[in-house]
Amino acid sequence: MRKLVYYVGVSLDGYIAGPGGEYDFYPLDAEMGAWTNAEYPEFVPTHLRGHVGMAVDQPNRHCDTVLMGRGTYEPALSAGVTGPYSHMKQYVVSGTLGRIDDPSVELIESDPLGLVRGLKKEDGLDIWLCGGGVLAGQLLTEIDELIIKSYPVVAGSGISAFSGTFDPTLFTPTRREEFGNGAQVTWFTRS
């Protein structure tokens, strides 16, 4: 069965972005970027692949489907990119977006849990929950694996990695990679 994998970068205080969606405060590192692009090429937006020396048709290694909320989708849309991950099956969950003018992106206006449960039953690679925190909170019961890029920075406020009801959920760390910029990538599986 396919897994729902939440791969996300967070500050030490648990924010995935600043109050206005900022993420440029994370300390970047060439070693970490090269590692991430090699290990998870599917997480590089299609329109940016050439900029990082990657072939546009680089095969997906772990996931072939991406699920994102409106806040995660909006920056690409604002830049005129309607299908940021066209090398994958793309879903955007939003009750306010109205419509998407790109046949490669499917708009889901309600029931993201039903969508994920259905996708898990299909053949294919895993499903990447790209963000954001509200959607992650709604899908917490279906998240099978967390891949957390934790950066050595305190944001102070912003968009939480998970927003929703109080629901303590235990995950077990299974692997960790450390990088020269002080960041770590840690894998967790549902306990």
Side-chain angles (χ1 to χ4, degrees):
M1 182 184 274
R2 302 167 83 186
K3 297 181 298 188
L4 180 61
V5 177
Y6 187 27
Y7 173 86
V8 65
V10 299
S11 62
L12 292 175
D13 49 349
Y15 295 107
I16 60 177
E22 309 90 349
Y23 55 87
D24 57 351
F25 59 90
Y26 290 128
L28 299 180
D29 177 88
E31 172 199 13
M32 183 178 185
W35 177 88
T36 303
N37 294 348
E39 183 67 24
Y40 294 98
E42 59 267 40
F43 296 164
V44 177
T46 309
H47 64 285
L48 298 178
R49 287 177 159 208
H51 298 290
V52 298
M54 183 184 298
V56 173
D57 61 350
Q58 178 83 23
N60 300 326
R61 295 192 61 211
H62 304 280
C63 299
D64 61 8
T65 303
V66 60
L67 181 61
M68 58 193 125
R70 180 181 182 157
T72 301
Y73 182 62
E74 195 69 44
L77 191 59
S78 294
V81 178
T82 56
Y85 298 99
S86 60
H87 55 279
M88 304 172 75
K89 177 67 179 153
Q90 304 171 90
Y91 294 93
V92 174
V93 177
S94 173
T96 59
L97 194 55
R99 61 179 243 181
I100 297 174
D101 293 325
D102 189 322
S104 74
V105 182
E106 187 172 337
L107 178 62
I108 305 299
E109 296 183 287
S110 64
D111 195 18
L113 279 170
L115 170 68
V116 169
R117 289 174 180 148
L119 290 172
K120 283 183 168 186
K121 293 176 184 175
E122 296 176 2
D123 289 334
L125 299 175
D126 290 336
I127 305 151
W128 172 32
L129 173 54
C130 183
V134 172
L135 184 57
Q138 292 173 346
L139 295 174
L140 179 57
T141 59
E142 290 297 321
I143 295 174
D144 302 293
E145 183 176 38
L146 301 169
I147 304 173
I148 305 294
K149 295 183 295 182
S150 56
Y151 291 92
V153 62
V154 172
S157 70
I159 300 168
S160 180
F162 289 90
S163 295
T165 60
F166 181 73
D167 186 13
T169 305
L170 188 62
F171 285 82
T172 303
T174 58
R175 179 179 165 198
R176 177 172 288 132
E177 295 282 338
E178 297 182 17
F179 299 93
N181 63 345
Q184 299 178 2
V185 177
T186 307
W187 290 256
F188 299 87
T189 56
R190 182 177 288 278
S191 296

